[in-house]
Each structure stands twice: as C-alpha cells, then as structure tokens.
C-alpha cells in the first residue's frame, strides 16, 4: 500500500514537471516570437504602424516596397549622376560668364586708370620721373607735347601752310564779304608791322579774289554745304562760331595758330611777344590787373550772420577773337567741345569758349585739362582799355601795344581807322572824338 502510493506520487510529480517544462518552453517561444515580430515592425515602421508617414498598406506590401527600393537603387544612382553632370555644366557656363564680366571690369579699370594718370604718363614720356626738389623749387608740367602732324587730312592746306608759316606758326583770319572793309584796314596794318606769316581763310569768292589781287595768302575751303553757307552769309557771331570747326585741321597738321578777328589793328609782330608755355594764350576782356588776372571777390550775405562773408575767385573772360593755340591734344579737345556745343545750343561762342576752358571737373562733368595764360592787357589791348583809360593818361599814351582789338564798340570801322591815324600817322587827336562806350 505504502509502496503503491509512493510510486503514484512519484509518477504524478514527474508528470507535473513535464507539463511545467512544456509550458515554460511555449512561453519562451512566444516571447521570442513576439520580440522578433517587434523587431521586424520596428524596422519597417519606425514611426508606428498607424503613423501618417506611411500610406495605408499591409505589412507584406511594405516589405515588398522595401525590396523594390533596394532593387531600383542602381537606377536612382544613374539619375543622380545625370543631375550632377547637368549642375556641373551650368556651373561651368556661369563661371565663363563671370570670367567675361571680370575681363570687362578690368578693361574699364584700365581705361579709368589711363584717364587719371595722363599727366604723369606725359611727363614720363618726356623724361625720367623726378623726385620733389627743395621747398620752393618744384615746377609742374605746363606745356603739353604737340601732336604728330597728319598731312593726309588735308594735303592742299598742308602745302599752303608750309609756304606761309614761319617756324610752324601763323596768324589765321576768317573773313567773308560782310567784313571786307575791316579786313582791308587790318591787312594794311599787317604789312606795316612786317608780319609775313598771315593767312586769310576766304569764306567766299570775293574775299579770295581780294586776297589774290593784294598779295595776301588765302585759303578757300573745299565745298561743305552746311559750313560754307554760314561762311558766305553769316554775320560776325556766326563766323566767329565757325572758326572753331575750321581751326581743328590747322592743329592736326601740326601748326600753332594765332587766331584773329578782323576788327584788330596790328602795330607790331605778335610772335615776338608770346610765351608759348601753355596750350592757350589769350587776350583778356579785363581792363586792369584785377579783372584781367583774377581777384578775390567777397560776397556778403547778412542773413548768414557769422558766416555772411563768402570768398569767390573771379576773372574777366578771355577774348575768343584773339588767342594763340598750340597743336596739343587739350587744344584740339577744346575746339571739339566748343564746336559741339555751338552746334547744339544757341549760345555766344565766347561764353562757351570760356566755360569749357575754366569750368572744373565736378559730378557729371569732366573739366578740360588745358593750360592757359592771360596776355598782358596793355600789350594786347582791348578797346575799353584804349578809349576809357589809355588815351586819357599822358604816360600810357606813350605806350605802343602789339595789337588793339575793337571788341567793346560796335562802330568798329571808324575806330579802326582812328587807331591807324593815331599810331601810324601821328594824329594825336585822332581818338578824341569817340565816347568811352557806345552810343
């Protein structure tokens, strides 16, 4: 009995252990399967099974898509390479465009530098670059180099100038039939003063015939409808504006010109009294040292209080009817600028002449870099100085100027004849009957 119970108990215990072991194994397998499935879902659904990142699909479909993505990776790589190649082409084209822009900017910079250091380059062309000397001894460059003569622009004029000029210099006068009487008076004084290098630019046939008949060198331009119509029929101001266009050829041919209006009396040879150290050497409309050579004019504006006084620099204008001009680049630029403005504006040539000469560079405008000299107003005298001052002063009456320009008075011909009588014919009262100014 006892033995049977013991055996039964042992079998029962053994069975129980087997069942427990089987259950434990099943639980372990379930846990392992759960962990494995969790890993699989974690891999394919890192943001959760129901996350909006994934479109509605089954797990099988997701696994299939993953497999297909892996299989198409080679195609995507090819497409990426093509995109990169296209990007490289675009960058290469952009680089080429940038290189072109850099070249253009460098060229503009070079031209700008060329414009800013012109004076230095001119000096270097003339000699070795110097060091600054001791205080009070340095002198800047004033005389620009002359241009290389170009006879191809007008061989006929070049031949005439070669025959008339003395040391590449001559007086040039423009004249038409309207000023013939004044020209006759001027020619008579030119001959008395012994001036050989004198040339008349004949603007019509009558002046050309007069010059030939009186042994005066003349040049008649080739026909030019616009210019020659002004020359034939224009008055003093029209002809005065025309001279800037005509004079350019003379400078291109390498000649220094003393440009003269017809209302000028020559008492001496002017070439004996020039300095030739500037691009332009001109007579002045000034009548004393201050007006002729410049002065500090104080402008008073009481409303400004402490700053009521403003200092200004003033000078009376150069006379565009008598000036000496050298064949330099600034001189030719002066003629070009004046002629261009006169062709576009209704302006007085003398005003434009002075504006171009004197206005400095400022925003929107580049001034002319031409050197200039004011002639002695007692040596190259205007008619205001003569009739208002000189004829009334016993000491000044003894002076004999080089020229007298009847520029301040409209009754030009009678005053010219009176000047001839006074200085050449010795008539001491020849100037007395004229008023200081015009009536």
């Amino acid at each position: 009995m006892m033995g049977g119970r013991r055996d039964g108990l042992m079998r029962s215990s053994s069975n129980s252990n087997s069942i427990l072991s089987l259950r434990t194994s099943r639980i372990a397998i379930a846990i392992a399967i759960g962990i494995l499935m969790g890993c699989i879902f974690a891999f394919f659904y890192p943001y959760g099974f129901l996350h909006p990142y994934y479109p509605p699909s089954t797990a099988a479909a997701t696994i299939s898509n993953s497999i297909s993505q892996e299989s198409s990776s080679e195609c995507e790589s090819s497409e990426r390479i093509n995109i990169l190649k296209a990007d490289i082409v675009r960058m290469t084209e952009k680089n080429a465009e940038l290189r072109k822009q850099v070249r253009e900017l460098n060229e503009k910079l070079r031209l700008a530098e060329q414009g800013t250091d012109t004076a230095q380059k001119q000096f270097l062309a003339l000699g070795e670059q110097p060091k600054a000397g001791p205080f009070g001894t340095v002198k800047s460059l004033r005389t620009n180099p002359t241009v290389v003569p170009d006879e191809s622009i007008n061989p006929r004029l070049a031949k005439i100038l070669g025959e008339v000029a003395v040391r590449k210099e001559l007086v040039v006068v423009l004249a038409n039939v309207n000023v013939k009487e004044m020209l006759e008076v001027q020619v008579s004084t030119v001959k008395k003063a012994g001036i050989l290098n004198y040339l008349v630019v004949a603007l019509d046939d009558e002046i050309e015939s007069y010059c030939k008949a009186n042994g005066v060198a003349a040049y008649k331009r080739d026909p030019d409808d616009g210019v020659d119509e002004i020359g034939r029929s224009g008055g003093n101001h029209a002809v005065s504006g025309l001279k800037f266009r005509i004079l350019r050829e003379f400078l291109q041919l390498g000649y220094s010109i003393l440009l003269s209006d017809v209302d000028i009396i020559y008492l001496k040879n002017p070439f004996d009294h020039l300095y030739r150290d500037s691009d332009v050497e001109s007579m002045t409309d000034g009548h004393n040292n201050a007006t002729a050579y410049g002065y500090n004019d104080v402008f008073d504006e009481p409303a400004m209080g402490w700053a009521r006084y403003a200092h200004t620099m003033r000078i009376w204008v150069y006379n565009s009817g008598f000036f000496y001009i050298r064949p330099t680049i600034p001189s030719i630029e002066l003629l070009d600028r004046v002629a261009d403005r006169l062709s576009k504006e209704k302006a007085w040539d003398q005003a434009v002449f002075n504006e171009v000469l004197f206005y400095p560079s400022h925003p929107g405008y580049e001034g002319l870099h031409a050197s200039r000299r004011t002639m002695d107003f007692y040596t190259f005298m205007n008619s205001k100085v003569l009739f208002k001052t000189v004829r009334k002063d016993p000491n000044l009456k003894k002076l004999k100027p080089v020229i007298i320009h009847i520029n301040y008075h409209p009754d030009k011909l009678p005053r010219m004849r009176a000047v001839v009588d006074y200085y050449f014919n010795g008539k001491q009262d020849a100037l007395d009957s004229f008023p200081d100014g015009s009536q």
Side-chain angles (χ1 to χ4, degrees):
M1 292 285 296
M2 292 296 291
R5 284 196 293 271
R6 190 179 295 113
D7 293 339
L9 289 170
M10 290 177 66
R11 285 193 297 270
S12 176
S13 176
S14 175
N15 291 336
S16 297
N17 290 336
S18 298
I19 293 170
L20 180 61
S21 176
L22 180 60
R23 288 178 178 175
T24 301
S25 298
R26 289 176 178 176
I27 291 171
I29 291 171
I31 290 172
I33 292 171
I35 292 172
L36 179 62
M37 293 298 293
C39 291
I40 292 173
F41 280 103
F43 178 78
F44 290 107
Y45 299 96
Y47 299 102
F49 185 72
L50 299 177
H51 195 276
Y53 177 80
Y54 302 105
S57 61
T58 62
T62 303
I63 295 171
S64 176
N65 288 338
S66 298
I67 295 172
S68 66
Q69 287 177 1
E70 291 177 0
S71 64
S72 64
S73 61
E74 293 182 0
C75 295
E76 289 181 351
S77 298
S78 299
E79 292 177 359
R80 183 62 179 168
I81 290 172
N82 292 333
I83 293 173
L84 289 174
K85 286 182 178 179
D87 289 342
I88 291 172
V89 171
R90 284 194 297 270
M91 292 175 66
T92 303
E93 293 175 351
K94 183 66 176 177
N95 188 39
E97 180 66 22
L98 290 174
R99 287 174 180 268
K100 180 181 178 182
Q101 292 178 3
V102 169
R103 287 195 299 269
E104 291 175 352
L105 289 174
N106 286 335
E107 179 64 15
K108 290 180 180 179
L109 179 61
R110 185 187 68 79
L111 292 175
E113 291 175 347
Q114 182 179 354
T116 55
D117 64 352
T118 300
Q120 183 180 8
K121 287 182 178 179
Q122 287 180 350
F123 187 87
L124 291 174
L126 295 175
E128 189 174 322
Q129 189 172 6
K131 294 181 179 179
F135 179 83
T137 65
V138 296
K139 295 289 184 181
S140 62
L141 182 67
R142 290 175 174 81
T143 307
N144 285 302
T146 57
V147 298
V148 177
D150 182 9
E151 295 189 0
S152 65
I153 64 166
N154 194 331
R156 184 167 66 88
L157 177 59
K159 183 176 183 298
I160 295 173
L161 296 181
E163 296 171 352
V164 177
V166 175
R167 294 188 296 273
K168 303 285 283 189
E169 298 177 324
L170 68 159
V171 178
V172 173
V173 181
L174 276 68
N176 62 15
V177 69
N178 295 331
V179 295
K180 182 182 177 183
E181 288 184 293
M182 286 190 288
L183 179 64
E184 290 173 346
V185 176
Q186 181 180 92
V187 167
S188 69
T189 65
V190 165
K191 292 180 177 180
K192 290 178 181 178
I195 302 170
L196 302 177
N197 47 341
Y198 176 87
L199 176 71
V200 175
V201 177
L203 300 176
D204 54 38
D205 294 336
E206 187 168 348
I207 293 298
E208 183 182 30
S209 299
Y210 162 78
C211 291
K212 289 180 178 179
N214 289 273
V216 178
Y219 164 66
K220 192 170 185 296
R221 301 176 63 255
D222 293 328
D224 181 334
D225 292 340
V227 173
D228 285 275
E229 180 58 32
I230 296 173
R232 286 190 296 269
S233 59
N236 287 343
H237 285 301
V239 172
S240 187
L242 176 64
K243 65 192 174 191
F244 295 98
R245 293 180 59 181
I246 295 177
L247 191 58
R248 191 187 204 276
E249 287 185 340
F250 289 77
L251 298 191
Q252 284 182 275
L253 292 170
Y255 289 84
S256 296
I257 303 300
L258 186 56
L259 189 68
S260 172
D261 281 352
V262 294
D263 57 344
I264 292 176
I265 299 298
Y266 287 84
L267 306 177
K268 299 178 183 178
N269 190 328
F271 294 104
D272 297 334
H273 302 271
L274 298 174
Y275 284 80
R276 300 174 177 84
D277 64 346
S278 303
D279 295 306
V280 178
E281 195 168 340
S282 178
M283 74 171 298
T284 174
D285 275 359
H287 58 93
N288 54 30
N289 286 341
T291 57
Y293 311 135
Y295 63 102
N296 182 4
D297 183 41
V298 180
F299 177 77
D300 184 10
E301 188 177 5
M304 287 298 295
W306 176 82
R308 64 183 290 180
Y309 299 111
H311 290 256
T312 69
M313 302 308 299
R314 299 188 64 184
I315 184 172
W316 285 32
V317 296
Y318 283 177
N319 192 289
S320 63
F322 188 85
F323 60 88
Y324 177 79
I325 186 167
R326 298 175 60 251
T328 66
I329 292 298
S331 296
I332 294 174
E333 184 181 3
L334 167 66
L335 299 180
D336 287 351
R337 288 195 185 195
V338 175
D340 180 64
R341 282 190 54 184
L342 291 176
S343 68
K344 298 175 181 177
E345 306 171 16
K346 191 174 182 180
W348 183 26
D349 70 281
Q350 181 161 293
V352 175
F353 176 72
N354 280 271
E355 288 170 4
V356 173
L357 263 180
F358 285 96
Y359 280 179
S361 297
H362 56 265
Y365 177 78
E366 183 178 351
L368 180 73
H369 300 284
S371 57
R372 53 194 182 270
R373 168 181 282 274
T374 306
M375 293 177 173
D376 186 321
F377 67 92
Y378 282 129
T379 303
F380 298 91
M381 191 180 298
N382 62 60
S383 57
K384 179 176 182 178
V385 173
L386 175 63
F387 286 97
K388 188 176 179 182
T389 305
V390 170
R391 67 171 177 167
K392 300 176 182 179
D393 187 301
N395 292 320
L396 293 178
K397 286 178 69 174
K398 298 176 184 178
L399 296 175
K400 187 176 183 179
V402 173
I403 63 108
I404 294 176
H405 190 178
I406 313 299
N407 61 313
Y408 268 100
H409 301 89
D411 50 339
K412 297 180 181 298
L413 187 58
R415 289 184 187 250
M416 288 178 71
R417 289 170 174 164
V419 169
V420 172
D421 283 339
Y422 181 81
Y423 284 101
F424 282 113
N425 301 329
K427 294 181 64 174
Q428 296 300 308
D429 61 347
L431 306 176
D432 295 347
S433 62
F434 296 94
D436 290 353
S438 58
Q439 297 296 321

